[in-house]
Amino acid sequence: MKKTTETILRKTKIITLLAGIFSIFLLTSACHCDDDDEKIANNKVLLLKFDNKSHDFIAGKEYKYFNDTESFTLTLTTENKENEFLSNITYKEANALLLKTTSTFAPNEGRIIIPEDFSPAERFDYVLTNDFVLPQNGYNTIGESPLDEPLFMKMWAKVQNLKKIREYMHINPEQQIQIFLHQAVIENHDNENNHWIFFIKN
């Protein structure tokens, strides 16, 4: 009888322990909610990638941060290695790396390392209105590759009616678009694998 009682008590303790662990798991899981994260992440940066030959918008990437700031300072750091040239663009206020690229000498070609997960242009929705919006403070090029205004306008015209752009422009109409040219091959501005990258903050 004593052994039976001890066995029952042992099983009861095990069941109670397992129930406690399961309850803790449920509570901690309930605290993590994507909708809540979305409400907190109000600081966003949108990267748009353009083809160097057609100047078409081909892909985009949206970053989300949990620190609220109206400032948007991008810093470019470069590093010369033996056979390649590294470029990093960092969002200073968020201490976040937005873009990391390499450039090489022909016949090799550099690439965009970060971000790895650009979304194709087809995944971005467009507004149906015929109005045209412009950033009130124009644009600024980062690095040593200038972008003339007609070419900027040609590319901007292809994305200004994106829903994401309209959302960003509504929140931050006085922003200045930051632009960087990734050169796949050093000193070759016309390489077909070069890409113009636009940086836009909400």
Side-chain angles (χ1 to χ4, degrees):
M1 181 70 178
K2 186 177 179 182
K3 286 186 178 179
T4 304
T5 304
E6 287 177 355
T7 302
I8 293 171
L9 286 172
R10 195 178 300 117
K11 286 182 179 179
T12 303
K13 286 180 181 179
I14 291 170
I15 292 169
T16 304
L17 179 63
L18 290 173
I21 292 170
F22 184 70
S23 298
I24 291 170
F25 174 77
L26 285 178
L27 287 171
T28 54
S29 298
C31 291
H32 184 276
C33 178
D34 288 340
D35 291 338
D36 289 342
D37 288 347
E38 180 67 25
K39 291 176 185 176
I40 297 169
N42 292 322
N43 184 10
K44 301 177 184 179
V45 177
L46 183 66
L47 273 62
L48 302 179
K49 181 165 71 169
F50 293 83
D51 182 88
N52 190 48
K53 292 191 75 176
S54 66
H55 303 118
D56 287 338
F57 166 54
I58 57 174
K61 165 71 178 179
E62 185 176 50
Y63 289 102
K64 300 177 183 180
Y65 303 103
F66 297 95
N67 64 318
D68 290 329
T69 174
E70 293 183 4
S71 301
F72 186 46
T73 308
L74 298 186
T75 58
L76 170 64
T77 58
T78 57
E79 182 182 352
N80 274 309
K81 290 200 169 182
E82 256 185 53
N83 298 313
E84 66 180 4
F85 188 78
L86 297 174
S87 297
N88 294 324
I89 294 181
T90 304
Y91 176 17
K92 183 179 177 181
E93 286 80 6
N95 192 29
L97 180 63
L98 300 179
L99 184 72
K100 183 182 185 71
T101 68
T102 63
S103 302
T104 64
F105 292 100
N108 297 318
E109 293 188 343
R111 62 192 181 94
I112 296 175
I113 300 172
I114 294 173
E116 295 179 340
D117 54 344
F118 274 104
S119 297
E122 296 77 26
R123 293 190 185 176
F124 288 79
D125 296 325
Y126 291 82
V127 298
L128 300 177
T129 57
N130 293 321
D131 57 330
F132 194 93
V133 298
L134 280 168
Q136 291 183 17
N137 287 305
Y139 69 96
N140 173 63
T141 51
I142 306 167
E144 299 178 359
S145 300
L147 174 65
D148 61 45
E149 188 169 351
L151 184 50
F152 166 73
M153 289 300 297
K154 181 179 180 180
M155 289 189 284
W156 180 254
K158 297 180 179 183
V159 295
Q160 61 83 31
N161 57 345
L162 290 176
K163 286 185 177 180
K164 282 288 181 186
I165 291 287
R166 294 306 179 96
E167 173 193 321
Y168 278 46
M169 296 296 290
H170 177 73
I171 296 170
N172 186 13
E174 297 181 359
Q175 70 174 283
Q176 184 181 65
I177 309 301
Q178 304 297 313
I179 299 173
F180 176 75
L181 175 65
H182 167 237
Q183 293 187 93
V185 178
I186 294 171
E187 297 181 353
N188 186 344
H189 288 258
D190 299 319
N191 187 281
E192 63 181 10
N193 289 318
N194 290 354
H195 295 98
W196 289 100
I197 309 291
F198 284 21
F199 300 82
I200 306 160
K201 186 193 180 309
N202 71 344

